[in-house]
Amino acid sequence: IVSHYGFFDQYLNFLRELYRISLSPSSIPMERYIVNFARETPLPPQGCLKIQYRIGQKVLLFSRPPPNRPIDYPPFPYHDLFRVITPHTAVQLLTALLLEYRVVLVSTPYTNLTLVSELLIRLMYPFQYEHVYIPILPKTLIDFLAAPMPFCIGIPREFLDGDLKDILIDKDEMVLVDLDHNEIYASNPIQQLPPAERKKLSRRLKPLERLCRDRRKMTDVEIRAFEGRDSAFNYVPSPDELDSLVQSIPKVDDGEVTSVQAAFLRVFVSLFRDYQRFLIPLPKTSPAKKPKKGRDPSDIGSMGTLGFIPEAAPSFKIKDFIKRQPKEARPFLERFLPTQAFSRFSDQRVAPGPMPGESENYDIKYFEESIIAKNNRSRFRFTKPTPFLDSKQFDLKESLPAPDPDAAGLPEGRVYQHQYFPRLDPNLFQALRTFETSEPIMKSYSRLNPGLVSARRGRVGKSMHSIPMLVQEMSMSNLHRAGKLSRMGSKSYFKDVPEDEKAIRKGSAAGYSPRAKKPAGRKMTE
């Protein structure tokens, strides 16, 4: 499954049920389920409502966080992150990503590579990771670790020979993390967060330290459960093993886990609570011009950390901002402010409003009202309203069932059943149906982005396809092409396949596969 959206658990359950359907008698072929899921299941809007998708005995719920609560609904539970690495390691890794170090994650279970990388990049909010991002790197591309640009790359341990630390030889500003043993190595010391913010963050995350388990200290039952994470069907322990496993897992309060993202957001709110005073507005009369030769490289837009000179004018007064900050915070800010993550952040703040058909940037509203909310907690400031944060307009209130697979045109009385995952038949991929748009989902999208909905409605009428689909860019030709991957049948799927390709397929079987960074503004999730 290839999608721009991180519904990892739902995608995994869909693949499991699809496999079960292929082995059971069914009046509808699995090709119809694939088309139904990819092209007829609407993408839920941000907040407002959930999409219910039924397959087999499962009902999958798809929802996205409301725009005024964007840090809700993480792609994985945060307690899973801290069972792999400690809060201290997580903070070190996040700092390395913010400061554009080259980050390499190594793990035996493939799943941990995706889990850790996805959650760490999510913790960067309101900033976005702007560089190469490959949670699982194919073995044939291992030489990419010598690339000079920043990246975040995950490597299965079986791909590496010798000592892990050999990766760091002759590498500058590279950070290597052994996820199996919670060990972090760096070719150069990692610049730390400012002391005040680091101390507050450590205090909030301290209760989660007991979750992390070093693989060398695990019991046999824990190791089997740990190594079985890549299986599409979870390891099921015996009753005695289950008791042992439950006793070995530390307990934490749910509130301590759900507040993780908020704790990291407070760090950025604290550091940039007065950043608006240092923004440089864009010229109103003429478009932004290419920076002149000799412009001060400390201004964003003239030169980034890699020597790249974009065509946009500077949007932030870096030197003036740093001068107004506490002395102990300046070393971190001097490194972070010239990065592409902050450059994009400041450029979005000075950019004009959305064009017709474009959605409003709710992240700007959320972060700025989060700063107001922090200032309101001070006893020495007048309280200002935060209508966006307090709004109930986007709360999840309704559920919408997705359409069932299309049975039209199938032979009457025909039963589809296979001994193993079958070859996909292009003739069974039916043409897309036209649905009358559901009123709740159209209202939800029009509430978030009236221009987009009206533009699409004018182009395609009142079709369900006037709103985004769950898998946006999957054409019928792509669905047919996907059949080629299964023409051999599952029994010969790994026959005569190179080792690196086996690794890719192994990850894909559980819903995870290599992923490369998409262009800015288009995030791909595989």
Side-chain angles (χ1 to χ4, degrees):
I1 296 177
V2 180
S3 172
H4 293 291
Y5 308 100
F7 299 116
F8 292 100
D9 188 59
Q10 293 92 329
Y11 293 154
L12 183 59
N13 278 297
F14 172 81
L15 293 174
R16 285 173 178 164
E17 290 303 310
L18 192 66
Y19 177 71
R20 289 189 176 105
I21 288 172
S22 72
L23 304 180
S24 306
S26 174
S27 60
I28 299 177
M30 59 186 306
E31 287 84 352
R32 296 293 177 95
Y33 283 97
I34 294 172
V35 173
N36 174 244
F37 185 77
R39 296 302 307 277
E40 297 178 343
T41 303
L43 174 74
Q46 292 177 267
C48 304
L49 60 82
K50 301 176 182 179
I51 301 297
Q52 294 178 331
Y53 181 82
R54 181 179 294 277
I55 178 171
Q57 301 301 314
K58 288 275 188 180
V59 176
L60 308 181
L61 294 179
F62 292 87
S63 62
R64 293 196 291 164
N68 60 345
R69 294 203 302 279
I71 61 177
D72 293 356
Y73 305 101
F76 298 100
Y78 280 110
H79 59 72
D80 283 353
L81 172 67
F82 295 113
R83 283 176 180 154
V84 179
I85 56 177
T86 61
H88 174 75
T89 302
V91 172
Q92 292 282 89
L93 265 176
L94 179 68
T95 307
L97 291 172
L98 288 168
L99 300 182
E100 299 183 338
Y101 285 75
R102 291 178 286 177
V103 175
V104 180
L105 308 176
V106 180
S107 172
T108 298
Y110 290 39
T111 303
N112 286 348
L113 297 172
T114 305
L115 183 152
V116 172
S117 57
E118 277 290 321
L119 288 180
L120 283 173
I121 285 181
R122 182 179 173 87
L123 289 175
M124 291 178 63
Y125 185 87
F127 305 102
Q128 298 180 19
Y129 191 69
E130 300 292 333
H131 301 285
V132 175
Y133 176 44
I134 311 175
I136 303 178
L137 184 74
K139 190 174 183 179
T140 53
L141 300 180
I142 202 75
D143 291 340
F144 193 85
L145 297 181
M149 75 283 289
F151 55 67
C152 178
I153 290 177
I155 304 177
R157 183 176 291 274
E158 63 192 74
F159 289 1
L160 301 176
D161 299 321
D163 191 349
L164 292 183
K165 298 179 186 177
D166 292 344
I167 297 176
L168 299 175
I169 296 176
D170 298 327
K171 307 287 197 314
D172 290 328
E173 297 196 341
M174 178 176 281
V175 176
L176 173 68
V177 185
D178 182 349
L179 299 181
D180 291 344
H181 304 126
N182 184 46
E183 294 176 344
I184 184 168
Y185 311 98
S187 56
N188 309 91
I190 302 174
Q191 175 65 57
Q192 301 294 311
L193 289 171
E197 283 72 23
R198 189 170 70 249
K199 184 177 180 180
K200 292 178 183 177
L201 190 58
S202 297
R203 185 170 65 250
R204 291 191 179 103
L205 300 179
K206 187 173 180 60
L208 301 174
E209 288 181 354
R210 60 183 181 272
L211 280 176
C212 186
R213 293 279 290 169
D214 190 324
R215 190 182 178 198
R216 291 168 292 197
K217 299 178 182 179
M218 290 181 180
T219 64
D220 291 341
V221 177
E222 288 180 285
I223 290 176
R224 284 197 291 273
F226 179 81
E227 294 180 344
R229 302 192 67 174
D230 288 338
S231 174
F233 298 93
N234 295 334
Y235 164 72
V236 180
S238 66
D240 291 340
E241 290 177 334
L242 182 60
D243 291 340
S244 173
L245 193 60
V246 169
Q247 293 174 6
S248 67
I249 299 176
K251 304 296 187 297
V252 294
D253 183 79
D254 289 342
E256 295 170 344
V257 177
T258 56
S259 64
V260 168
Q261 180 91 57
F264 282 88
L265 178 65
R266 290 191 192 101
V267 170
F268 301 122
V269 168
S270 176
L271 283 172
F272 299 103
R273 58 187 177 275
D274 58 347
Y275 83 98
Q276 293 172 310
R277 297 164 48 195
F278 301 91
L279 292 171
I280 303 174
L282 290 177
K284 294 182 179 180
T285 56
S286 60
K289 297 181 179 180
K290 194 171 182 178
K292 295 181 179 179
K293 197 171 183 180
R295 184 185 293 275
D296 188 341
S298 70
D299 289 332
I300 281 185
S302 64
M303 179 152 319
T305 57
L306 302 178
F308 170 73
I309 303 179
E311 296 185 358
S315 56
F316 196 76
K317 301 175 183 177
I318 290 183
K319 285 186 174 180
D320 293 344
F321 180 79
I322 291 177
K323 287 179 183 178
R324 297 295 300 271
Q325 305 310 308
K327 188 175 180 180
E328 58 273 12
R330 293 175 188 174
F332 173 81
L333 293 172
E334 286 171 353
R335 285 214 50 171
F336 178 62
L337 296 185
T339 62
Q340 291 189 33
F342 187 80
S343 177
R344 178 181 175 87
F345 172 86
S346 61
D347 288 346
Q348 288 178 335
R349 267 65 185 166
V350 300
M355 301 293 288
E358 292 183 348
S359 60
E360 185 175 359
N361 192 330
Y362 289 109
D363 289 337
I364 295 177
K365 276 187 174 183
Y366 179 79
F367 188 68
E368 293 183 352
E369 289 203 7
S370 295
I371 293 175
I372 294 173
K374 174 181 172 56
N375 292 334
N376 287 344
R377 292 192 288 269
S378 172
R379 293 177 297 175
F380 305 103
R381 298 198 183 207
F382 293 106
T383 301
K384 294 183 180 180
T386 53
F388 182 64
L389 292 184
D390 301 333
S391 174
K392 304 296 183 182
Q393 177 185 8
F394 307 106
D395 287 359
L396 289 167
K397 299 175 182 176
E398 300 181 72
S399 295
L400 176 72
D404 293 327
D406 187 9
L410 296 173
E412 188 175 352
R414 171 74 185 272
V415 175
Y416 299 88
Q417 184 177 9
H418 309 276
Q419 293 182 346
Y420 46 82
F421 196 88
R423 301 177 181 181
L424 299 178
D425 184 354
N427 297 320
L428 293 176
F429 290 122
Q430 89 283 8
L432 296 181
R433 297 172 287 176
T434 299
F435 302 92
E436 286 299 311
T437 306
S438 171
E439 193 66 22
I441 196 168
M442 183 57 76
K443 282 184 177 180
S444 300
Y445 270 102
S446 62
R447 190 182 307 161
L448 290 165
N449 189 359
L452 177 63
V453 173
S454 61
R456 294 193 176 195
R457 181 183 291 149
R459 186 168 66 247
V460 299
K462 292 185 178 180
S463 164
M464 182 67 86
H465 300 287
S466 62
I467 58 175
M469 294 292 104
L470 193 62
V471 183
Q472 282 187 295
E473 299 178 357
M474 182 66 77
S475 65
M476 291 300 291
S477 61
N478 286 338
L479 287 172
H480 293 166
R481 194 176 300 117
K484 295 179 181 179
L485 293 177
S486 61
R487 293 286 162 83
M488 297 178 293
S490 61
K491 287 187 176 178
S492 56
Y493 190 51
F494 287 101
K495 184 178 179 181
D496 299 326
V497 177
E499 288 299 319
D500 56 310
E501 180 66 15
K502 285 184 182 179
I504 296 174
R505 295 182 179 185
K506 182 180 178 184
S508 299
Y512 309 110
S513 57
R515 157 171 140 178
K517 178 69 178 175
K518 291 286 285 182
R522 298 298 304 276
K523 184 179 179 182
M524 173 175 281
T525 302
E526 298 188 5

